[in-house]
Amino acid sequence: MGYRILEPADVPAYLNERGHWPDPSDIQVREVSDGNMNRVFLARSTDGTRSLAVKQALPWVRVAGPSWPMSPERADAEARAYEQVAKVAPDKIPAILGYDPENYALVMEDMSDLEVLRTLLNEGASYGPHTSARIGEFVAQLTFATSDFGMASADRKALLAASVSPELCKITEDVVLSEPYIEHEHNHWHEGLDDLATEFRADSRLRTEVADLRHTFMTSAQALLHGDLHTGSVMVGEREGAPVVRVFDPEFSFVGPIGYDLGLYWANALVSAERARALGSLTDHADQLVLSWQAFDTEFRRLWPTRIDTFFDDAYLDRFLHRIWTEAVGYAGTEIIRRIIGFAHLTDLTTLPDQVPASRRALLIGRELIVRRGELTTPNDVRTVVEAP
């Protein structure tokens, strides 16, 4: 039948055709698209007892329209990522009920009873006692299982070949790891940041360090990553009295440096801290880097004895984890900077009454994380940078 872009009116028949819903007349559909890239629909029975979500990749960036073409094959990467995570951390992703590669559409559990973490934080809520720890565990479980430590060499090579995503990786290479440091049409910022934007473009040390991180991103195929792990791709809540954390939207998934996923999450936590500081309501933001790193480190070490290639002995583990830490600190800095003077800004800052002071602090923190990442060897070192006057 060929690829067709779904509209809300198409969803009932589509779910029926795919075997997900027996009676298409018993479906109410509403569009809840919120991200930059795709369309999302919620389908619910008229009596409210059953619901599903349908996510479809468009042949362009949703927020830009046809003027920014984008292959919908990114949905293939998302489906592959969910398949891998489901093997090792099924409790940390939405339940996937089916993938339609012809229409680049995923059918999954309805998570509308949960809240996007960024939305809650922007409203002044805390992370809760489990969120960041579960994010750290998620990264450890996914990356260990898809690294040379947890996957046979032949299977790893097959995963690497299947997960190549030139178009989406190029977006990251450009938007996150290049454009904010040069003159580019994608860049924009508040006029109160003109001086720092100019200074960063002229800062040869900063540009050299970013170039190093960019090259690592392009060449270090350590494990399968989420690829876009931030507070907007995490949903939290409670079900049956237990805390729930769900990571979603891994469409930028590829095989790359493990520190990238951690760094993106840390960056968003640190920017959220600056929002809280600006509003005079500091909560537990500064703890999230520590909690997620400790959980990652603990879980990776727990899995280490199960490694397939025993040539990498226990003495190597500390060196490997130190490399991940150092790169994660640097990537956190690049994500902070691109979210303020690059493309796709964060509502954490843009919805402040005066975004300039918090944005300036965040930019300077981002620079310090990049250029001093080799010196910042512990979470307390990073905390010192973040909490400096």
Side-chain angles (χ1 to χ4, degrees):
M1 194 171 174
Y3 174 44
R4 53 177 171 150
I5 296 175
L6 297 173
E7 297 295 337
D10 302 323
V11 173
Y14 175 79
L15 287 173
N16 178 255
E17 292 165 9
R18 300 290 301 177
H20 296 295
W21 210 291
D23 181 6
S25 67
D26 183 40
I27 304 180
Q28 298 174 334
V29 178
R30 62 188 177 99
E31 184 172 358
V32 292
S33 307
D34 187 38
N36 293 324
M37 305 289 284
N38 312 289
R39 297 187 77 179
V40 180
F41 308 96
L42 290 183
R44 182 164 293 176
S45 62
T46 52
D47 63 5
T49 60
R50 186 175 184 224
S51 60
L52 294 173
V54 180
K55 177 181 177 181
Q56 184 178 40
L58 298 172
W60 50 73
V61 176
R62 186 182 69 84
V63 293
S67 65
W68 189 343
M70 180 67 60
S71 171
E73 291 179 1
R74 62 187 181 273
D76 296 339
E78 181 167 4
R80 280 194 302 271
Y82 279 135
E83 182 181 6
Q84 291 294 332
V85 179
K87 298 175 184 178
V88 294
D91 60 321
K92 298 181 179 71
I93 56 171
I96 305 301
L97 306 178
Y99 176 56
D100 173 8
E102 185 175 43
N103 289 294
Y104 306 106
L106 281 157
V107 179
M108 63 183 72
E109 73 167 294
D110 174 12
M111 298 192 293
S112 58
D113 60 316
L114 306 178
E115 295 279 354
V116 175
L117 178 57
R118 172 171 291 126
T119 301
L120 288 176
L121 296 175
N122 282 354
E123 293 171 351
S126 68
Y127 289 79
H130 305 285
T131 302
S132 289
R134 292 196 176 168
I135 296 300
E137 291 171 1
F138 165 84
V139 177
Q141 290 161 351
L142 173 60
T143 59
F144 185 90
T146 57
S147 70
D148 282 304
F149 309 125
M151 182 176 278
S153 181
D155 294 336
R156 264 270 302 169
K157 301 303 186 288
L159 176 66
L160 182 59
S163 302
V164 171
S165 183
E167 189 174 29
L168 293 181
C169 284
K170 187 67 164 60
I171 290 177
T172 301
E173 291 160 16
D174 291 347
V175 171
V176 182
L177 300 169
S178 173
E179 289 173 5
Y181 311 94
I182 61 175
E183 297 278 357
H184 197 278
E185 62 183 3
H186 286 163
N187 297 335
H188 60 103
W189 54 81
H190 190 283
E191 61 183 9
L193 306 173
D194 283 347
D195 59 328
L196 287 181
T198 300
E199 182 181 317
F200 282 19
R201 290 197 303 272
D203 188 332
S204 59
R205 182 183 177 193
L206 176 61
R207 286 168 55 107
T208 298
E209 296 298 334
V210 172
D212 187 51
L213 290 163
R214 186 174 189 266
H215 189 249
T216 298
F217 179 88
M218 297 168 72
T219 60
S220 181
Q222 291 176 339
L224 188 68
L225 310 182
H226 178 283
D228 196 24
L229 184 58
H230 52 71
T231 52
S233 56
V234 177
M235 299 195 79
V236 297
E238 190 173 284
R239 290 176 177 171
E240 299 179 352
V244 174
V245 178
R246 294 287 185 270
V247 178
F248 66 104
D249 276 1
E251 62 192 351
F252 278 77
S253 179
F254 76 109
V255 178
I258 295 170
Y260 187 72
D261 269 358
L262 291 168
L264 260 60
Y265 182 70
W266 295 349
N268 282 261
L270 294 175
V271 169
S272 190
E274 292 309 312
R275 174 186 176 84
R277 180 193 294 267
L279 295 174
S281 58
L282 283 177
T283 56
D284 54 354
H285 300 281
D287 298 329
Q288 304 315 307
L289 187 152
V290 178
L291 292 171
S292 56
W293 173 255
Q294 286 176 340
F296 170 84
D297 183 87
T298 299
E299 183 66 7
F300 209 93
R301 290 179 187 277
R302 185 188 72 81
L303 293 167
W304 185 252
T306 69
R307 64 194 180 281
I308 290 173
D309 191 337
T310 56
F311 180 81
F312 297 102
D313 59 16
D314 292 343
Y316 177 70
L317 178 58
D318 287 340
R319 178 182 295 188
F320 183 72
L321 291 175
H322 176 70
R323 182 187 308 165
I324 291 172
W325 162 265
T326 302
E327 291 172 357
V329 171
Y331 287 125
T334 63
E335 170 73 353
I336 290 171
I337 290 172
R338 80 94 169 187
R339 289 289 199 169
I340 301 174
I341 61 172
F343 184 75
H345 293 187
L346 292 175
T347 55
D348 309 51
L349 298 176
T350 60
T351 58
L352 287 171
D354 179 4
Q355 65 177 279
V356 173
S359 298
R360 292 185 70 88
R361 272 189 52 85
L363 282 172
L364 293 173
I365 288 170
R367 182 189 182 279
E368 288 292 286
L369 296 181
I370 294 169
V371 301
R372 295 181 53 202
R373 66 188 189 280
E375 307 167 29
L376 305 174
T377 58
T378 70
N380 282 335
D381 292 337
V382 173
R383 185 188 289 271
T384 298
V385 170
V386 172
E387 294 181 350

